[in-house]
Amino acid sequence: MPGITQKFETSNRPDEWKIEQGMVAAELPVLDMTGPETKTLAPQVFGELTRDDEAIKAVGNRDELFTRERKGWVGFVEWENYPEKKAAAHKILTSQTFPPNPEFQLGPIPATNPVLPGTRWKMWHHEVGGELTQIPDDSWNLVLKEKHQDMLHLLQFPYNGEPPKRLVTDKVITPNNLHFVRNHGGIPIIDKEDYSFVLDGLVKNPQSFTLDDLMDESRFPRVEKLATIQCSGTRRIEQILKYPGQGDEVPQAPWAEGAIGTASWVGISLKKVIKACGGLVDGAEHLEFYGADTYFKDDEAMNYLVSVPWSKVKANEVLLAWEMNGEVLPRIHGYPLRVVVLGYIGARSVKWLYRIKAIKNPTRAPVQSKEYLYFPQQVGKHNLRMSDGIQIQEMPVSSAIMSPWTKQAVIHNGSIRCKGWAYSGGGRWPERVELSMDGGFNWYTVPLDNLSEKRKWCWRTWEYDLPCDVEGWVEIVVRCWDNSLNTQPSEVRTSWNWGLHVTSSCHRISVYSVNKSRPLTKARLDEFEQKGIPFGPITVPLAFPSQSWEEYEAFWAKHDPRDARE
Ligand code: MTE
């Protein structure tokens, strides 16, 4: 193929135009304007990885240090009772360097599935070794076994995945293999026969419970609840696309609208188990949940820990569940036992539960105190303090459009078929869903018959033929009003925060409208069909004119002249 081959002199970088336009922002030089002259600072360049083999060897035999904790608990290392184990893991992790996370939040998101591999997390598990060595491979095998083949694997390890848009609201109750998964570590593989958890701390009679104990209906009444679990990272991609945020400390899965799912959970109320332990003592106000997976944060190894207030438990809104949609809880969702906190963010619904501890204050564990925080917009990364963030508990009202997709061309007869979900946390529920096709100026109410059943703790899925007369690019927007008449902020910018949590602004998509109920458009589309030319993409230059010269001349015969006479 002929091409331009001449070399030419230039002092521009080959990607100069892209870098000027902010398309490779990770490589943009930083401007230092603190002095009289603006200086250009080169971005960090990561050098060779280093490794102090002697120091790592001195830590000791990793197979012995991080051995299997209990019979029948594959992949479980208990960190919280063993400061010496934590110190050993810390030494291993700080005696070497690891490659940086891919800067996907400034550069393009890879067009692969899995989207991000989680290289550092895999390396941390291998380096700490012992019982953790096999965990990344075991976990991925479980994903392939338990999840739907069409899942979008946003992060391969720790596994984070969501269903593609077309399957998010396909059913009001999300099938187990399509329910999103948000993991911070590997998946422990626990035998039911060897399973028990302990309830201790500020309770009168600390006790441990097997699954058979919990399933004994003469002791604990069984409950079944339909509940939506939503991760506070849902729809984060809209914030990422607007401005990059946190991405350096933990690999942040670029969640779209699928980090939400609804299931029927069977189990018992935690309140009854606390009662069986004689109740709380000494001013206990919170319950701390321990998950058996290993989580790494700031070069420290730990188990997954969060807490919820006693008031929430007392209201029977915290379940210990072993069944999901009539099936035994899948391993990836917490088998054999998980917590389900109704109406709170998913982060509090701890999987692979091995301990509950009654405590006085909310846990200081990092997942609670350093993450899942809602930061103010105008505090920058370099002076952000934990205390600046609101600990996220109840998700605000939100909604999303699952069909059509943004940038899609839609041929229609005067209305665009739209589908999606609406949800509100804290036991509030969607009362009204509204759609706009003009960016949020005029709103159409989705008829109540087009919404799924109204239930406390649950989302509502919806469908609507949105009237659309105009052609060209239209902006379709959805918003929901909950039963407390809360509604959504209008723009992503109003909810943007450094942690990229709680994208609750109105969901907006741009769609190219082709309205076939207009005679000219219809004629045109018929012509495409007759000529056997596929319609789209809409940017392709047209192969045939939309008006004949005769028609054009007829127009001027009537409308001449072009410029007005004096
Ligand atoms: N429990 C443990 N032990 N480890 C985890 O990483 N992730 C939490 C929560 N429970 C997590 C956990 C988060 S952030 C969410 S959103 C939910 O699990 C997701 O539940 P799912 O993976 O069953 O959908």
Side-chain angles (χ1 to χ4, degrees):
M1 211 166 54
I4 298 170
T5 51
Q6 293 99 315
K7 295 256 181 291
F8 60 97
E9 288 298 316
T10 176
S11 52
N12 290 336
R13 334 167 12 141
D15 60 351
E16 181 72 27
W17 180 78
K18 280 195 153 187
I19 195 170
E20 285 180 5
Q21 296 308 323
M23 292 175 189
V24 277
E27 290 168 34
L28 264 180
V30 172
L31 297 182
D32 178 357
M33 301 186 178
T34 54
E37 300 288 331
T38 298
K39 279 193 275 181
T40 304
L41 311 179
Q44 277 183 42
V45 178
F46 294 93
E48 293 276 292
L49 300 182
T50 61
R51 186 184 166 87
D52 183 346
D53 284 317
E54 283 306 303
I56 294 170
K57 215 168 146 204
V59 172
N61 183 337
R62 293 173 293 160
D63 289 336
E64 282 165 18
L65 279 169
F66 313 116
T67 184
R68 181 162 308 166
E69 208 71 45
R70 299 193 205 174
K71 179 180 156 282
W73 289 55
V74 178
F76 172 44
V77 176
E78 185 172 358
W79 300 100
E80 300 310 317
N81 264 340
Y82 301 96
E84 65 283 5
K85 275 200 251 178
K86 283 194 173 190
H90 180 70
K91 185 77 196 158
I92 293 171
L93 295 174
T94 50
S95 299
Q96 56 192 310
T97 53
F98 295 91
N101 274 326
E103 272 283 6
F104 75 91
Q105 296 185 335
L106 282 165
I109 294 178
T112 50
N113 191 24
V115 178
L116 302 173
T119 308
R120 277 152 54 106
W121 288 77
K122 290 175 190 166
M123 289 176 84
W124 292 336
H125 278 70
H126 287 137
E127 287 304 316
V128 169
E131 190 61 15
L132 300 186
T133 317
Q134 257 314 103
I135 271 276
D137 287 334
D138 285 355
S139 295
W140 179 242
N141 286 335
L142 272 170
V143 172
L144 298 178
K145 193 167 155 213
E146 292 192 341
K147 300 315 284 184
H148 194 284
Q149 60 173 21
D150 294 344
M151 285 290 280
L152 303 176
H153 312 299
L154 303 178
L155 181 62
Q156 189 181 32
F157 185 79
Y159 183 70
N160 283 241
E162 67 180 333
K165 281 190 215 280
R166 66 176 193 283
L167 297 176
V168 173
T169 49
D170 193 38
K171 303 213 162 48
V172 178
I173 296 180
T174 317
N176 288 353
N177 64 356
L178 282 169
H179 197 282
F180 82 97
V181 177
R182 196 312 183 219
N183 287 345
H184 290 69
I187 304 165
I189 303 170
I190 306 169
D191 282 350
K192 183 184 167 231
E193 287 66 40
D194 297 313
Y195 177 76
S196 66
F197 76 92
V198 65
L199 202 164
D200 63 0
L202 303 174
V203 282
K204 204 155 183 205
N205 307 308
Q207 275 177 58
S208 74
F209 297 87
T210 65
L211 220 52
D212 286 340
D213 293 334
L214 304 183
M215 288 175 173
D216 179 351
E217 290 192 71
S218 67
R219 294 183 68 189
F220 303 112
R222 199 164 287 197
V223 286
E224 179 164 4
K225 291 274 180 199
L226 198 64
T228 297
I229 292 187
Q230 186 187 22
C231 183
S232 58
T234 321
R235 293 181 47 207
R236 161 177 290 158
I237 187 70
E238 292 161 58
Q239 293 200 50
I240 295 175
L241 294 177
K242 186 88 186 157
Y243 307 108
Q246 184 187 14
D248 46 357
E249 287 145 25
V250 272
Q252 296 287 330
W255 295 109
E257 308 83 13
I260 183 166
T262 300
S264 168
W265 305 97
V266 169
I268 55 176
S269 169
L270 171 59
K271 184 185 178 183
K272 307 280 187 236
V273 188
I274 291 172
K275 213 169 150 199
C277 292
L280 301 181
V281 292
D282 289 341
E285 291 282 349
H286 296 266
L287 281 310
E288 190 177 46
F289 304 135
Y290 292 57
D293 43 342
T294 292
Y295 178 51
F296 290 100
K297 173 100 183 156
D298 302 333
D299 296 321
E300 305 283 351
M302 62 198 87
N303 297 112
Y304 183 91
L305 261 70
V306 292
S307 69
V308 298
W310 163 236
S311 56
K312 187 78 180 159
V313 179
K314 207 161 117 188
N316 286 312
E317 291 171 3
V318 180
L319 311 184
L320 302 182
W322 56 78
E323 201 180 291
M324 183 177 180
N325 291 332
E327 290 170 17
V328 174
L329 195 60
R331 288 201 184 278
I332 205 165
H333 289 290
Y335 178 88
L337 192 72
R338 79 173 297 168
V339 179
V340 175
V341 183
L342 305 173
Y344 272 15
I345 54 164
R348 309 290 179 248
S349 292
V350 172
K351 307 190 271 191
W352 315 292
L353 183 72
Y354 77 88
R355 182 181 184 191
I356 299 177
K357 187 176 171 193
I359 51 177
K360 282 198 171 144
N361 297 306
T363 178
R364 299 297 188 243
V367 176
Q368 187 101 6
S369 56
K370 289 189 174 173
E371 293 170 30
Y372 297 96
L373 298 178
Y374 193 77
F375 289 112
Q377 276 183 6
Q378 259 47 66
V379 175
K381 176 178 181 173
H382 301 97
N383 53 11
L384 204 69
R385 296 171 311 162
M386 289 182 275
S387 54
D388 289 326
I390 303 169
Q391 288 187 4
I392 307 163
Q393 296 284 59
E394 298 176 353
M395 287 293 281
V397 59
S398 181
S399 55
I401 302 162
M402 293 299 94
S403 175
W405 302 337
T406 201
K407 302 280 160 71
Q408 198 156 31
V410 180
I411 302 172
H412 58 89
N413 290 321
S415 60
I416 297 179
R417 218 165 287 146
C418 299
K419 284 183 184 181
W421 56 258
Y423 173 70
S424 190
R428 293 171 293 276
W429 57 86
E431 274 290 345
R432 181 185 299 158
V433 175
E434 292 176 322
L435 285 165
S436 167
M437 68 91 211
D438 57 6
F441 194 73
N442 290 292
W443 295 92
Y444 294 84
T445 301
V446 176
L448 289 180
D449 288 344
N450 292 20
L451 262 62
S452 63
E453 197 187 341
K454 182 200 298 189
R455 295 186 72 130
K456 200 171 180 179
W457 316 119
C458 283
W459 72 358
R460 296 178 84 173
T461 57
W462 51 264
E463 285 187 24
Y464 184 54
D465 287 348
L466 175 66
C468 178
D469 176 54
V470 295
E471 299 206 45
W473 287 109
V474 295
E475 194 181 30
I476 303 183
V477 194
V478 63
R479 76 175 174 199
C480 171
W481 297 82
D482 72 12
N483 59 309
S484 303
L485 301 192
N486 296 310
T487 195
Q488 305 174 235
S490 172
E491 304 287 338
V492 177
R493 177 65 209 182
T494 41
S495 62
W496 194 93
N497 61 101
W498 188 257
L500 305 173
H501 288 285
V502 192
T503 318
S504 65
S505 52
C506 294
H507 189 210
R508 295 169 180 271
I509 59 165
S510 299
V511 160
Y512 193 88
S513 157
V514 182
N515 186 352
K516 206 179 169 183
S517 71
R518 292 184 167 196
L520 275 178
T521 306
K522 183 179 180 313
R524 188 82 176 144
L525 288 167
D526 290 347
E527 216 179 337
F528 267 90
E529 208 174 315
Q530 281 154 20
K531 294 192 158 85
I533 300 174
F535 187 81
I538 45 116
T539 46
V540 164
L542 285 174
F544 53 96
S546 56
Q547 194 174 35
S548 66
W549 283 111
E550 290 76 33
E551 284 167 333
Y552 190 61
E553 291 306 337
F555 170 86
W556 284 121
K558 199 165 164 201
H559 296 286
D560 243 359
R562 151 71 174 79
D563 301 304
R565 292 188 187 94
E566 293 275 323

